[in-house]
Amino acid sequence: MTEEEVVTRLKQAAAAKKQAEEDAATAFADAVAEALRGGMKPKTVADATGYSYETIRRIARAHDIGRLREPTVTSRKKAHPGGDSPA
């Protein structure tokens, strides 16, 4: 095999690897989104997958999944300054 043929094979293999990684990432994100929409808690998803809560949160946001937990007291105060609580 000539050097040119080897280089061509390497480029093809690298492109195939990249595509496989992209496909796997998409399948993973879809599975995470499905689990969250099904009611699974983000911490459970994170523990089951070995990915961080932040990664799971980012996937949720990318799939237009709303808040993963209720706002904390601090964030409620920031959202409603002056102590007014939402009606």
Side-chain angles (χ1 to χ4, degrees):
M1 207 181 292
T2 68
E3 184 175 329
E4 187 176 320
E5 291 170 328
V6 171
V7 169
T8 299
R9 275 187 71 195
L10 286 171
K11 287 180 179 180
Q12 290 171 340
K17 180 180 182 285
K18 182 178 181 181
Q19 185 61 52
E21 289 170 347
E22 289 172 4
D23 293 346
T26 298
F28 174 73
D30 290 346
V32 167
E34 183 179 333
L36 294 171
R37 284 191 181 109
M40 188 173 280
K41 293 184 178 186
K43 182 177 181 339
T44 305
V45 175
D47 291 345
T49 61
Y51 283 83
S52 70
Y53 181 92
E54 180 62 18
T55 297
I56 302 307
R57 186 195 67 75
R58 287 178 182 172
I59 290 170
R61 179 173 276 175
H63 280 78
D64 294 323
I65 297 173
R67 278 194 174 274
L68 300 178
R69 62 181 174 84
E70 288 299 314
T72 62
V73 172
T74 303
S75 63
R76 282 190 203 134
K77 286 181 181 178
K78 287 179 184 176
H80 302 284
D84 295 339
S85 61

